[in-house]
Amino acid sequence: MSSSSIKVFSDINELSHFAAQLFSTIAAQAIANRKRFIVSLAGGGTPITLYRLLASSPYSQSLSWEKILFFWGDERCVSLDDVENSYHQAYQALLGKVPIPEDNIFRVKAELTPAAAAIDYASQLQTLAENGMRWPRFDLVVLGLGEDGHTASLFPGSDETNGVASMAVTANYQGRPASRVSLSSNVFNSARTVMFLVTGAQKAVALAATLAGVREPDNLPAQRIMPIDGNIIWLVDVAAARLLPSVIDGLIIQR
Ligand code: 6PG
């Protein structure tokens, strides 16, 4: 059974506090039920506030870090110490500040060519796969939304027909590194929970088009994210939500 919900917050701080509590709740449930919590992090600027909160009290003490396994939904193929590298961003904000075993961090090997890194990441995913799948069923996937409707590194017009777990892509977006590796929507859609974090007036058009516009997933890749048997939770701020109608497909927007 899948469900969707949208919650609107006054700003990124209020949103990130809610997201941190949700992350903690989902982690506790996963660890209680399956002895581990497998999460995919997002790059970009929006989730940094969340990551910093998780690295601080109470979460830094309350989360069972040794039972949490970190992946990324996508990565920019730049060196590990490049500020644009998503692993680097998460390490600075969170991973380097809490006791996470190194073996629990599954980063994209950005030092390889994008094609080789995509193949390597697919094999890393397979190490945690169960029930005949080629990737793990993520307990939580954190995603952002670009102004063009992209998510992870699934950009407008990108092709996903071959059903692979991860792929090399080239994307020119806001001057960010172009060579990337992205998980496919297949992987995201097998997750138990997908949590989108979207803030800022500059995202309002993309958010309204994605949630309330014509269905066109080729051009609006975030529309491809529809968990088969999972929940999708949109955490947005007032500025990003300003063009949303009050009701979307029977879905109440919780303001
Ligand atoms: C990335 C992300 C990308 C991001 C959106 C939103 O590596 O950049 O995976 O999909 O989530 O572009 O980015 P902001 O949070 O910076 O607006």
Side-chain angles (χ1 to χ4, degrees), residues 56-73:
S56 56
S57 179
Y59 305 106
S60 52
Q61 290 97 5
S62 62
L63 283 164
S64 302
W65 297 107
E66 75 286 355
K67 293 178 181 169
I68 303 179
L69 304 170
F70 286 91
F71 286 81
W72 278 259

Side-chain angles (χ1 to χ4, degrees), residues 42-47 74 76 86 143-146 150-153 173-174 176 180 202-203:
T46 306
D74 67 330
R76 298 91 171 265
S86 298
L143 289 173
L145 180 72
H150 82 262
T151 191
S153 286
Y173 177 74
Q174 291 189 347
R176 295 178 180 179
R180 298 161 169 251
Q202 74 282 8
K203 302 290 178 77

